[in-house]
Amino acid sequence: MTDEAMLSMALHLRGQHLSLRDIAARLVITKGKRKGRHPSPATVLCMLPTTMR
């Protein structure tokens, strides 16, 4: 599950030209069944606007 804070952090990290794998490794899911885990790079890709991919 993603939230606004995770999206904001993902956008910030993508602005620093980090790869999707690096971004996923730095993010932590804060809610739901996967709480405390890292999202997959595919989830990060879906979160980002098409202009940031």
Side-chain angles (χ1 to χ4, degrees), residues 5-15 23 27 44 47-48 52:
M6 188 183 293
L7 174 60
S8 175
M9 186 61 157
L11 290 171
H12 172 74
L13 294 171
R14 193 61 175 170
I23 294 171
L27 297 177
V44 174
M47 287 172 35
L48 296 174
M52 296 291 292

Side-chain angles (χ1 to χ4, degrees), residues 28-42:
V28 177
I29 298 171
T30 58
K31 299 177 184 176
K33 186 169 87 172
R34 292 181 43 100
K35 182 178 180 179
R37 294 180 161 186
H38 301 284
S40 70

